[in-house]
Amino acid sequence: MRLAFLGTPQMAVPPLRAMVEHGFDVVAAVTRADKRRGRGSSLVPSPVKLAAEELGIPVHHRVDDLLDLAVDLGVVVAFGQIIKPHVLAQIPMVNLHFSLLPRWRGAAPVERALLAGDAQTGVCLMEVEEGLDTGGVYERAVVPIGATTTADELRAELVVAGTEMLVRRLRDGLGAPAPQQGEPTYAAKIRPEELHLDWTRSPVELDRVVRVGGAWTTFRGKRLKVLAASVAGAGPGDVLDGDCVGGLRLERVQPEGKGPMAWADFARGARAVPGERFGE
């Protein structure tokens, strides 16, 4: 088969590399256009574009470009764009979706599973259709979520499981997809305000936010990112007691305008004292 790959972030790179390493004929990669980043506003390509160029795969930024390439199947992994009906009418596509569908359809399934306190999640190889992650499922793999698992760690596990599944089904045949069963839930994109640590919430809930990544609070009027923490008690609160705020033990932080550091180093440099409040 002549395959096209559609993806954007780093987590989409291992499946692309595995397809090439296993001898599949990947004739095109579609990814987002280069973005301007940094002080110099230089253009930065997506991780998938960098990998595709290294592998010698032609890169496109428009899905419609595939219509002229005699593609037999499109493989979608964290692409971040809706595939239009006129494309699907010509090119069948499969998608690696990182949840146990129909739970957590949408943009942020890994993060939503963590925030909800799910005990497990997984990855589905599914048929792409017009609806949002509504297609039939060819195969699924279950991945447990540990009490301390971070979003980055969970993504890595899901990518390994999904890549193995994708390569095997492409090699042995997709078969017929099974309709999704159960009540759908939706994984909306995480908003910045959802990562703000609300100290009235329980330590368990706060810990989940930290494990998602990007958690922040304020200390002495400046933003303080909380990069790593653990549950130390049962009660909510915003008052510093040693290395704990409420029932959350701070382990690694990043002050505004500085690099990441251990909490002990930050507290020593800031001369933090017991009884100081966070979120002010």
Side-chain angles (χ1 to χ4, degrees), residues 16-218:
L16 173 60
R17 291 191 179 279
M19 289 166 61
V20 174
E21 290 168 2
H22 284 80
F24 295 105
D25 185 16
V26 183
V27 300
V30 185
T31 189
R32 64 154 171 80
D34 298 356
K35 283 189 173 181
R36 293 194 178 277
R37 285 184 182 168
R39 294 179 180 176
S41 296
S42 57
L43 288 172
V44 179
S46 74
V48 163
K49 181 175 182 177
L50 290 173
E53 290 179 336
E54 179 189 330
L55 295 166
I57 300 170
V59 175
H60 301 261
H61 298 304
R62 297 175 62 254
V63 179
D64 280 20
D65 290 350
L66 300 180
L67 298 175
D68 300 322
L69 299 178
V71 171
D72 297 309
L73 181 71
V75 175
V76 183
V77 183
F79 183 44
Q81 298 179 34
I82 299 294
I83 312 296
K84 299 293 182 62
H86 72 278
V87 177
L88 294 174
Q90 181 173 320
I91 304 172
M93 296 198 182
V94 297
N95 176 32
L96 273 184
H97 184 79
F98 297 100
S99 80
L100 294 175
L101 293 167
R103 185 162 178 79
W104 302 129
R105 294 174 177 172
V110 175
E111 294 87 345
R112 292 297 173 192
L114 274 179
L115 289 176
D118 291 357
Q120 63 181 27
T121 185
V123 55
C124 290
L125 181 62
M126 57 167 289
E127 179 182 29
V128 179
E129 58 181 34
E130 291 183 35
L132 178 63
D133 299 327
T134 57
V137 175
Y138 296 100
E139 187 176 335
R140 67 182 63 216
V142 176
V143 174
I145 301 176
T148 61
T149 301
T150 66
D152 286 343
E153 292 167 342
L154 187 55
R155 285 190 199 96
E157 290 187 61
L158 292 167
V159 167
V160 169
T163 299
E164 185 278 330
M165 179 192 301
L166 173 66
V167 168
R168 177 165 41 77
R169 294 307 288 254
L170 289 176
R171 181 191 64 216
D172 298 343
L174 292 171
Q180 297 180 26
Q181 301 289 333
E183 186 68 25
T185 58
Y186 292 90
K189 185 178 179 180
I190 301 295
R191 304 184 307 277
E193 57 266 28
E194 293 182 86
L195 301 176
H196 177 231
L197 295 171
D198 176 359
W199 299 105
T200 65
R201 299 174 68 183
S202 72
V204 170
E205 292 175 301
L206 294 172
D207 176 62
R208 292 173 188 163
V209 177
V210 174
R211 289 190 285 133
V212 162
W216 63 278
T217 184
T218 52

